[in-house]
């Protein structure tokens, strides 16, 4: 299916919002204004945007250590995110989670995850709940090429297929796990080769082409909504910054050349060219979207900075749910 | 404490009490489902799920692949989405395969998410030695779980508690781990037919005496009770406390007894070194230091994997005789 | 390659020896003369025999809960095995392991395993050692269809491929994991479909045809010895007895019909017919092999029964190795 | 105890001491190799393996897939086959992903096999909070490992011990777990250039005093020492014992000190409930019951996952101030 002009604009806005959030976070980290680890999604925006534009708030996603892009694409709130990254009480997790555990259950965002592959079985559980309830909701799990080598991914993928659950597996193949290239850790080039081993359909898409991602996800999500079970999409993509933070290590684990080539295929620039040619959005229009995101992120940073720190006395709050069972749910 | 429910004298087995409580929860709440290896068509390797699949169908009694990580994740994802899953791990030893999903994911999710998630998931499993099942099918690993903030852990010693604690676990809005002991599955006892809760975090004093306090749980309750009976014949009267829930621990009941008797033995089947006994004993010593007349005795399995040969395994598992000896020495100290 | 007549006789002998060991163990279990769980290999003999006939004592195998067949096929000693099953001091593990941990490191048999999939990474480690040392040794891992759904299998298979290790993955697909049929736990029919996802060659063989297994294993083992990396063989087979023990449960998890059909393809009977037609071994010759195995197993049972129980004082022996490091090995 | 090796005053960082010990063992023994995520070309995420891949090549410094179970299994299989692997799990939290391979396989293999296997494998990892790495990258889970027969566990507090204990682990014929603390990696201290062993199972008394015994390990040694320094100014003199090895525990050193001071505090960064402190405290109480003048003080992290926000995390990690308060109360009790 071809995306409508509204969809195209929506895709653009989602990508731009991810980019501005991440660039801002990177800057803050460089200035030592963010505690902890920070894994930026810059370069990979087309994947989260292209997939999430097919989802409603009721559909769930589970994410990775590189999770900001997924949350922004799912509609996440800049202020809650930025405050969380700063460890503030007003953050999405009240400062208890940080970048690696950012989430918004109201938007069906079941959390970034600090454990590679840890979120995959959880998304399958959400998919099970959707089928159990007889809804047509879908859950999507994002994971990296590196994560496809971990046991939890394998078990969850097989389980989703065995139980024919409405789950979409989206592999963000950026060719590296931390600082180690894919060819040192797997003997295949395309992670999608694994899909057949679970008995689910798989497709490769250009992860720098948001429309291609959107189309593939549209098909897979529709399939899941029709009750036809899980699918697998491998998006070939690249991270423009380092595994974490912004600067590269002293050590050289990828060439400038390689990075440059991928940057030439910046998913936002590519898409803006296309939108302009198609007459959907001109340079000024695009600029306005950037400016809006920029204003929003500045406001979010201000909000976060002004926000209070968590009360140290809240340390032991929310380890458990005190609520008492009130009988069968409806 | 809640008074025990009426039993009408009906006696059923520990395994059957578990199954009955589970079926009743499934009847009462459409959000409760069960998933695990062989729990469906086969009814569970210990028969604990027999008949449920026929009655509730494949979506509510789910046969899963041999994938412990995905089984726990299935529960976590479903629980966060509003269902009330019971996921089974068959043998407690297999919990180790799923440890990331239990400890890093399920236990921490709520906290990491700033309180927003609710995780009403029950993990059921079976622990314990004594069936010549050797080193990978006989462990009692509860100490690992009790150390993890976010989990609750129960280990019932009898059919009444098996049913009541299971119901409390299923109704609890937190991830709970329900640990059966394999050698108790056939043990019969009075069990009320109607659903009832045994509250989480409440120990029960199963035998009263003023000379020595024996703190224990799970199958060791029976060994400790036998030992206490034997000691009574020698004039030593024991309080035997069945902890029932290990996380949270009912230290009030334990400390009150210790303050009265001044002599305490802590008994578990798990390996002694690093077992929960250390936590319990040092907790008691903190609260009842001035009352104690003798060092607290800790009894647990010796520091080796569980051996296969019955003659070795028998040596490995703490028993009434050993417990009796230690109680006698304690009373004399 | 076609097997030589000597190889054919060797294959026959290995299968017969497995069968007699397992039948005897089953009988003893029925008589409550064996403690613990017992998972019999009857029906699947062609797999262990066909594979292990390609191996030397220096090559390693790792096994499953259903491990007796593998050890017998690797040359295991009946007496040490039977004594172990009885928990005697003279058993392979001195009575500490039992059926689920039976092993013979001198024969490269790295142990049965009580954890489904637990032995797979260990075999890959042995394969690594073989490559590290520059030998042409091979390690083989046996695992079930059910085990192919567990994370450890996936991680180890990928690692073997990524590091191009001399490892042969042999899936014994007997269509059930405990009492649950394959189609309830996976959406694929052939486990070998997973091989491509690791980038290793895979083949399906008739697991009731010992020559077919031998040929496939011969090729895969030769490939590994040549340094060309891991391979995957799926053997379609069936267990004639129950998941554990001999009797079926009250519950019916497979039909009499299905069992009967498989039994008609008893791997030993099939092979004996073939040996007879080929003039390699007549009925009398086959009978002699059975009789020899029978005599051996009776002797082994007698040995085991007469053997002493372990000394209870040995309980804490062998938890650790006391030996002190004596400098670099050669 | 072996006398400390000569340092010639050379001071290097904890992380560098680890790397030096490892490189020396690789130089000395061709059977020693390293495998783990990013340990090869990248030199390890903490730089602990830098330069090794260039020097020893891809077969001896192996970049692995993100597959913790297979990484540990690689080590186990290679160790049983006669090599002497060092496998790295990066963060201690990730150990939970590989728990079956560590606890059910590596730890038990020798015993299950009746003694026939030898498993000279070292698992290296990094624990500890204080970097705002949140709940899944900050845990101290040593209590889980110490409960498992078959494993040895060390947690060095300084560069000298980091090198010496690593060498002892690599030379040991059993599976050992070597736990660095992330916040100690940059800590400098005197380290002899030549290889030397710090024996496994031997604690070290890092500060002497007759009033209170403080038993601790890992990074908490520094907090405890600061606290002890502050207390000395108030006239309270502490023995500070750095356990160094947690399995096996050097209870002799601990008990002797406890018998002399009669007042004991046990300190670790791990969650207090169910932590190793319970084992240590109850072990001391058993051996030194009649000597103790006050309940043993156990200090550990509160019962919650590790929070992200620095202000909360600071509250979570035990520190010198808290330890000092407790020592003061203990001395006054
Ligand atoms: C179980 C586990 N092992 C290792 C890590 C450390 N780690 C964090 S991100 C990462 C690389 C992940 O690679 P990939 O899945 O390709 O995602 P990418 O970072 O490329 O987006 C690793 C190894 C972890 N967090 N969890
Ligand atoms: C991790 C783990 N989960 C579950 C079990 C229980 N279990 C033992 S054998 C078995 C079935 C294995 O099926 P398969 O791999 O097909 O081997 P088969 O028994 O058919 O030979 C199961 C589930 C186990 N031992 N280990
Ligand atoms: Mg990647
Ligand atoms: Mg099978």
């Amino acid at each position: 299916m071809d995306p409508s002009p509204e969809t195209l604009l929506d895709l653009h806005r989602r990508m731009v919002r991810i980019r501005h959030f991440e660039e801002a976070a990177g800057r803050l980290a460089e200035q030592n204004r963010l505690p902890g680890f920070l894994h930026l999604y810059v370069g990979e925006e087309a994947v989260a945007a292209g997939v999430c534009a097919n989802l409603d708030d009721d559909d769930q996603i589970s994410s990775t250590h590189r999770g900001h892009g997924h949350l922004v694409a799912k509609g996440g709130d800049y202020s809650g995110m930025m405050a969380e990254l700063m460890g503030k009480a007003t953050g999405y997790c009240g400062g208890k989670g940080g970048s690696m555990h950012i989430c918004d259950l109201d938007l069906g965002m079941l959390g970034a995850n600090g454990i590679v592959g840890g979120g995959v079985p959880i998304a399958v559980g959400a998919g099970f709940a959707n089928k159990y309830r007889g809804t047509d909701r879908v859950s999507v799990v994002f994971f990296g090429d590196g994560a496809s080598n971990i046991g939890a991914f394998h078990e969850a993928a097989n389980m989703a297929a065995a139980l024919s659950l409405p789950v979409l597996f989206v592999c963000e193949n950026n060719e590296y796990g931390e600082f180690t290239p894919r060819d040192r850790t797997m003997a295949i080039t395309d992670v999608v080769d694994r899909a057949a081993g679970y008995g689910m359909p798989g497709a490769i898409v250009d992860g720098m082409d948001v429309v291609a991602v959107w189309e593939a996800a549209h098909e897979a999500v529709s399939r899941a909504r029709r009750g036809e079970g899980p699918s697998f999409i491998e998006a070939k993509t690249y991270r423009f910054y380092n595994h974490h933070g912004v600067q590269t290590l002293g050590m050289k684990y990828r060439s400038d050349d390689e990075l440059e080539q991928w940057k030439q295929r910046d998913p936002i620039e590519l898409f803006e060219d296309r939108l302009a040619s198609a007459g959907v959005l001109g340079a000024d229009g695009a600029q306005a979207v950037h400016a809006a995101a920029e204003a929003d992120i500045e406001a979010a940073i201000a909000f976060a900075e002004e926000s209070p720190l968590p009360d140290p006395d809240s340390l032991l709050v929310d380890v458990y749910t005190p609520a008492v069972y009130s009988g069968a749910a409806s | 404490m809640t008074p025990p429910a009426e039993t009408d004298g009906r006696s059923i087995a520990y395994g059957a009490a578990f199954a009955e409580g589970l079926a009743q929860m499934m009847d009462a709440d459409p959000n409760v489902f069960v998933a695990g290896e062989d729990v469906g068509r086969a009814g569970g390797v210990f028969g604990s799920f027999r008949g449920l699949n026929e009655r509730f169908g494949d979506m509510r009694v789910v046969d899963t692949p041999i994938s412990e990580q995905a089984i726990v994740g299935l529960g976590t994802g479903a629980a966060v989405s509003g269902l009330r899953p019971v996921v089974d791990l068959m043998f407690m030893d297999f919990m180790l395969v799923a440890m990331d999903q239990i400890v890093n994911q399920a236990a921490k999710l709520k906290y990491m998410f700033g309180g927003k998630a609710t995780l009403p998931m029950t993990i059921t499993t079976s622990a314990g030695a004594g069936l010549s099942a050797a080193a990978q099918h006989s462990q009692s690993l509860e100490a690992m779980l009790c150390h993890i903030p976010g989990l609750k852990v129960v280990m019932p010693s009898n059919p009444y508690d098996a049913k009541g604690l299971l119901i409390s676990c299923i109704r609890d809005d937190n991830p709970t781990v329900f640990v059966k002991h394999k050698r108790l599955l056939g043990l019969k006892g009075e069990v009320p037919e109607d659903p009832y809760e045994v509250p989480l975090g409440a120990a029960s004093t199963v035998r009263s005496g003023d000379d020595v306090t024996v703190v224990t749980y799970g199958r060791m309750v029976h060994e400790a009770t036998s030992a206490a009976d034997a000691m009574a014949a020698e004039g030593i009267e024991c309080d035997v406390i069945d902890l029932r829930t290990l996380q949270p621990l009912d230290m009030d009941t334990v400390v009150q007894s210790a303050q009265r008797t001044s002599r305490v033995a802590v008994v578990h089947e798990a390996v002694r070194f690093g077992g929960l006994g250390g936590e319990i004993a040092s907790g008691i010593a903190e609260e009842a230091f001035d009352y104690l007349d003798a060092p607290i005795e800790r009894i647990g399995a010796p520091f080796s994997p569980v051996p296969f040969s019955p003659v070795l395994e028998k040596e490995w598992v703490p028993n009434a005789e050993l417990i009796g000896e230690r109680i006698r020495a304690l009373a004399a100290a």
Side-chain angles (χ1 to χ4, degrees), chain A, chain B:
Chain A
M1 207 180 95
D2 278 346
S4 66
E6 293 72 46
T7 299
L8 294 174
L9 294 174
D10 178 38
L11 289 170
H12 177 250
R13 187 166 171 278
R14 287 183 205 244
M15 285 204 288
V16 169
R17 287 184 63 80
I18 298 172
R19 176 70 55 96
H20 284 272
F21 185 87
E22 294 294 67
E23 294 286 0
R27 271 195 310 274
L28 292 169
E30 286 296 280
Q31 297 160 8
N32 285 319
R33 287 161 70 191
L34 296 186
F37 301 151
L38 188 78
H39 304 89
L40 297 179
Y41 198 70
V42 175
E44 308 191 6
E45 293 89 347
V47 187
V51 171
C52 291
N54 287 287
L55 304 179
D56 301 321
D57 285 358
D58 279 354
D59 298 313
Q60 303 99 333
I61 64 172
S62 85
S63 169
T64 66
H65 55 289
R66 201 175 300 290
H68 314 157
H70 304 131
L71 180 48
V72 173
K74 197 72 172 48
D77 165 50
Y78 269 5
S79 297
M81 290 180 69
M82 198 47 90
E84 188 57 35
L85 263 54
M86 290 191 190
K88 296 300 182 78
T90 54
Y92 260 118
C93 311
K96 282 182 173 146
S99 165
M100 276 194 288
H101 305 294
I102 205 151
C103 69
D104 184 340
L105 296 183
D106 295 331
L107 292 173
M109 191 324 190
L110 304 179
N113 210 304
I115 302 295
V116 167
V120 191
I122 296 172
V124 171
F128 178 83
N130 294 339
K131 178 165 174 169
Y132 188 92
R133 291 220 176 88
T135 70
D136 69 348
R137 292 186 203 171
V138 167
S139 71
V140 177
V141 48
F142 294 95
F143 59 99
D145 49 310
S148 80
N149 296 328
I150 205 159
F153 155 75
H154 173 74
E155 295 190 2
N158 179 65
M159 187 179 280
L163 303 179
S164 190
L165 302 179
V167 181
L168 171 55
F169 292 83
V170 179
C171 180
E172 304 177 319
N173 184 350
N174 60 14
E175 302 288 332
Y176 291 85
E178 294 198 339
F179 313 104
T180 301
R182 181 189 36 70
D183 64 7
R184 285 177 83 77
T185 58
M186 50 211 297
I188 55 173
T189 305
D190 302 319
V191 180
V192 76
D193 290 355
R194 296 190 168 158
Y198 306 114
M200 60 171 97
I204 296 184
V205 296
D206 176 357
M208 306 316 250
D209 177 348
V210 70
V211 174
V213 174
W214 183 88
E215 284 173 346
H218 188 81
E219 198 178 310
V221 167
S222 308
R223 189 171 180 277
R225 292 204 201 283
R226 288 194 306 267
E228 292 167 27
S231 323
F232 193 110
I233 293 175
E234 173 178 3
K236 303 283 193 185
T237 183
Y238 203 77
R239 51 174 156 76
F240 290 176
Y241 289 120
N242 209 336
H243 166 61
H244 58 77
V246 169
Q247 298 194 322
T248 50
L249 294 183
M251 157 224 11
K252 244 208 159 35
Y253 66 97
R254 54 185 194 180
S255 69
D256 293 341
D257 223 46
E258 180 180 292
L259 178 58
E260 255 335 294
Q261 274 175 16
W262 279 97
K263 279 194 173 173
Q264 309 238 319
R265 305 201 60 246
D266 182 313
I268 297 181
E269 290 174 14
L270 281 185
F271 191 45
E272 291 181 348
D273 289 350
R274 183 163 164 174
L275 289 175
S277 323
V280 176
L281 187 73
D284 288 355
Q287 191 39 48
V289 176
H290 284 273
E294 195 58 39
D296 284 355
I297 195 69
E298 289 309 324
I301 293 170
F303 168 83
E305 299 244 305
E306 283 155 23
S307 288
L309 289 166
D311 179 351
D313 286 347
S314 71
L315 182 66
L316 295 179
V317 176
D318 289 326
V319 180
Y320 293 96
T321 303
V324 170
Y325 184 69
S326 56
S330 55
Chain B
M1 222 185 72
T2 42
E6 282 298 327
T7 66
D8 294 328
R10 188 183 69 131
S11 177
I12 63 174
Y14 181 99
F18 171 91
E20 183 172 279
L22 179 55
Q24 287 173 345
M25 289 303 94
M26 293 186 70
D27 262 333
D29 187 341
N31 284 337
V32 177
F33 74 95
V34 193
E37 294 156 24
D38 295 290
V39 302
R41 299 291 165 86
V45 290
F46 302 114
S48 308
F49 304 92
R50 207 161 282 165
L52 295 182
N53 183 271
E54 287 86 328
R55 206 163 133 209
F56 295 105
D58 281 351
M59 270 313 273
R60 294 192 65 197
V61 187
V62 186
D63 275 325
T64 67
I66 308 174
S67 305
E68 279 77 7
Q69 298 189 67
I71 292 170
V72 175
L74 181 80
T76 302
V80 179
S81 306
L83 300 185
R84 202 168 275 279
V86 176
V87 296
D88 186 63
L89 294 181
M90 205 185 292
F91 283 75
M92 193 171 206
D93 317 69
F94 309 163
M95 205 182 69
L96 295 168
V97 179
M99 212 60 171
D100 170 62
Q101 285 290 322
I102 299 172
V103 171
N104 282 334
Q105 311 295 339
K108 298 181 175 27
L109 216 82
K110 181 182 187 63
Y111 189 80
M112 294 187 304
F113 289 5
K116 279 168 201 151
T118 309
L119 242 110
M121 163 166 71
T122 302
I123 299 173
T124 59
T125 189
S126 306
L131 301 178
S132 294
Q136 295 173 337
H137 282 72
S138 305
Q139 294 170 88
S140 293
L141 298 170
E142 62 276 10
M144 287 189 175
L145 299 172
C146 295
H147 186 41
I148 303 302
L151 298 178
K152 297 186 180 181
V153 183
V154 305
M155 284 182 92
S157 70
N158 62 66
Y160 182 91
D161 289 347
K163 178 170 171 179
L165 286 172
L166 180 66
I167 290 175
S168 295
C169 283
I170 294 175
R171 287 180 174 169
D172 197 276
D173 275 345
N174 296 284
T176 57
V177 185
F178 180 98
V179 188
K180 291 173 274 187
H181 193 293
K182 295 191 282 286
R183 283 180 71 189
L184 292 178
L185 293 170
L187 178 81
K188 289 204 160 189
E190 291 195 10
V191 174
E193 200 152 347
D194 286 341
Y196 59 94
E197 294 186 15
V198 168
L200 301 185
S204 130
T205 303
V206 296
R207 195 184 197 294
S208 299
D210 288 332
D211 299 325
V212 173
T213 298
V214 184
V215 183
T216 185
Y217 56 90
R219 200 182 78 78
M220 284 298 125
V221 170
H222 303 280
E223 299 290 341
T225 306
S226 300
D229 289 345
M231 289 306 105
E234 299 181 16
I236 303 167
E237 295 295 341
C238 299
D239 254 16
V240 178
I241 297 176
D242 179 352
L243 291 168
R244 307 200 288 193
T245 303
L246 306 183
Q247 182 58 270
L249 263 184
D250 179 1
M251 285 300 284
D252 286 351
T253 299
V254 171
V255 169
Q256 275 164 30
S257 172
Q259 289 179 341
R260 182 162 42 76
T261 64
S262 304
R263 289 158 204 273
V264 183
V266 182
V267 185
H268 54 57
E269 181 180 316
V271 166
R272 183 184 192 274
F273 190 99
L276 201 63
E279 177 62 41
I280 298 166
S282 42
I284 296 170
E286 284 153 17
E287 303 295 323
F289 184 76
D290 293 328
Y291 296 82
L292 293 179
D293 288 341
I296 296 173
E297 186 64 55
R298 278 188 300 150
I299 301 170
F303 204 63
S304 83
V306 185
F308 165 72
S309 188
V311 62
L312 294 174
E313 192 182 29
K314 192 158 165 287
E315 192 73 14
W316 191 88
V317 180
N319 59 27
E321 197 187 323
L322 173 74
I323 299 167
E325 274 168 29
R326 299 296 176 82
I327 293 174
R328 192 184 296 122
L330 198 51

